[in-house]
Amino acid sequence: EYRYFSVRFPAAAHDQPLHFAVTPLTGDPDLYLAASSQDTPVRPDKTDSTWSSAEQEGQPQHRYEHLTVATSDRGRCSGSGCTYYLSVQADHAPSTFSVVAWAGDTAVQLVEGGRQAGELPA
């Protein structure tokens, strides 16, 4: 099961890297991310996302999942119509987590009923 969130960054974030992080409280959730300037929401997942924090074979495991979208990243969009869509998913066992997005020193509010925490059933 996936939990979905979306975020729009303020214009001041245009020239800064964008950061997205999931901190697991229980379980091992992964973060998937996509950006779109279209009105139709995007639902990134493990097979269709622009960025992913899912472990790659041979890479070290981290306590939290973190993605950075650089200002020069080809998948990045900008402007008032740009929305970043996040999904969080755990393959095994229930998972609880917190999720946050920020640019520079400014955290931005994620949208999913105003929540910045979620739970994934087994």
Side-chain angles (χ1 to χ4, degrees):
E1 181 178 341
Y2 288 87
R3 295 299 300 258
Y4 297 97
F5 305 88
S6 64
V7 63
R8 286 189 174 182
F9 286 90
H14 175 72
D15 63 346
Q16 298 179 25
L18 308 178
H19 302 275
F20 305 85
V22 170
T23 302
L25 305 173
T26 61
D28 183 21
D30 291 320
L31 174 62
Y32 302 96
L33 179 65
S36 177
S37 58
Q38 306 297 319
D39 289 336
T40 306
V42 175
R43 301 278 177 149
D45 59 30
K46 66 171 51 179
T47 60
D48 188 20
S49 63
T50 307
W51 302 275
S52 169
S53 72
E55 286 183 36
Q56 303 294 321
E57 192 170 321
Q59 289 185 347
Q61 183 176 6
H62 299 286
R63 170 70 183 118
Y64 65 95
E65 305 293 323
H66 179 259
L67 293 171
T68 299
V69 178
T71 56
S72 61
D73 195 303
R74 294 179 62 192
R76 182 175 171 143
C77 68
S78 60
S80 61
C82 181
T83 303
Y84 285 83
Y85 296 93
L86 299 81
S87 66
V88 180
Q89 189 261 346
D91 284 330
H92 308 289
S95 182
T96 56
F97 57 88
S98 67
V99 58
V100 66
W102 72 95
D105 294 334
T106 305
V108 293
Q109 182 175 358
L110 299 169
V111 177
E112 191 239 13
R115 297 172 54 163
Q116 285 191 297
E119 184 173 322
L120 296 170

